Amino acid sequence: MSREIQARNDKVLSYGDNLLRRGDVELLQGPHWLNDQIITFYFDYLRLERLAKEHDSVLFVGGAMTFLLNQLAGALPDIVAPLKLATRKLVLFAVNNNPDCTMAEGGSHWSLLVYGRTHDRFCHYDSSPGSNNLLVARQLTVALRPFLGYVLDLAQRASCL
């Protein structure tokens, strides 16, 4: 392994359930895409630091878990049960446009799918409307509806589903 690759794999920060490596942190220094690790780190930071008092009512679902939920629709009861979705006031999902379940950390675009119990709806926030993330978000809402109770249909704009 070259020294450059080895340096990019150096551990920089262990926080919550995350391990950030130098290569992950370097993504923040330029016009680069965010990766799963950076997004999951930020979700953990919000969960542990900013919204610690809300830990029972707010759930952050990182990219890997969101991808798993979308790919394994038939096995959802076993996967979803520990998330306690029915008890959450707010659930945030990191959505990626990776259609290939054989490609770890694939895809090229992230968006945010938010479920709010107060209005009983999903809203999809995407900085690049027209990406296939809306389709992925719709698939996820259909798969999760039985675990949340009645959910209103999606509309466009902030793409409230």
Side-chain angles (χ1 to χ4, degrees):
M1 184 181 321
S2 76
R3 287 184 189 201
E4 182 180 322
I5 292 172
Q6 196 170 11
R8 293 196 65 197
N9 283 329
D10 287 348
K11 297 175 185 175
V12 175
L13 176 66
S14 179
Y15 181 82
D17 294 331
N18 289 287
L19 176 65
L20 290 181
R21 298 185 181 278
R22 185 169 313 285
D24 299 321
V25 175
E26 287 173 358
L27 293 174
L28 300 173
Q29 297 173 359
H32 305 290
W33 300 108
L34 298 178
N35 66 8
D36 295 36
Q37 289 302 113
I38 295 293
I39 291 170
T40 302
F41 164 80
Y42 188 64
F43 273 13
D44 270 1
Y45 168 76
L46 291 173
R47 179 178 57 88
L48 296 170
E49 303 290 333
R50 306 298 283 176
L51 297 169
K53 293 178 183 176
E54 305 294 327
H55 74 277
D56 287 336
S57 61
V58 177
L59 177 66
F60 294 92
V61 183
M65 177 59 85
T66 299
F67 183 74
L68 180 69
L69 292 170
N70 232 357
Q71 295 297 315
L72 301 176
L76 276 182
D78 295 332
I79 297 169
V80 172
L83 301 177
K84 302 176 183 171
L85 295 178
T87 67
R88 309 294 182 157
K89 291 181 183 175
L90 189 66
V91 185
L92 296 93
F93 299 91
V95 177
N96 185 282
N97 66 349
N98 179 14
D100 186 356
C101 64
T102 64
M103 187 175 172
E105 297 185 8
S108 61
H109 181 67
W110 290 99
S111 60
L112 183 68
L113 179 65
V114 179
Y115 171 74
R117 184 162 304 283
T118 302
H119 297 289
D120 199 23
R121 73 168 52 173
F122 284 94
C123 290
H124 181 241
Y125 299 92
D126 193 336
S127 63
S128 181
S131 73
N132 69 338
N133 281 29
L134 181 58
L135 174 62
V136 174
R138 284 183 193 271
Q139 292 169 337
L140 188 59
T141 63
V142 169
L144 293 176
R145 282 182 183 180
F147 305 99
L148 294 165
Y150 178 74
V151 179
L152 299 173
D153 284 341
L154 280 162
Q156 270 299 50
R157 183 43 199 111
S159 298
C160 292
L161 313 173

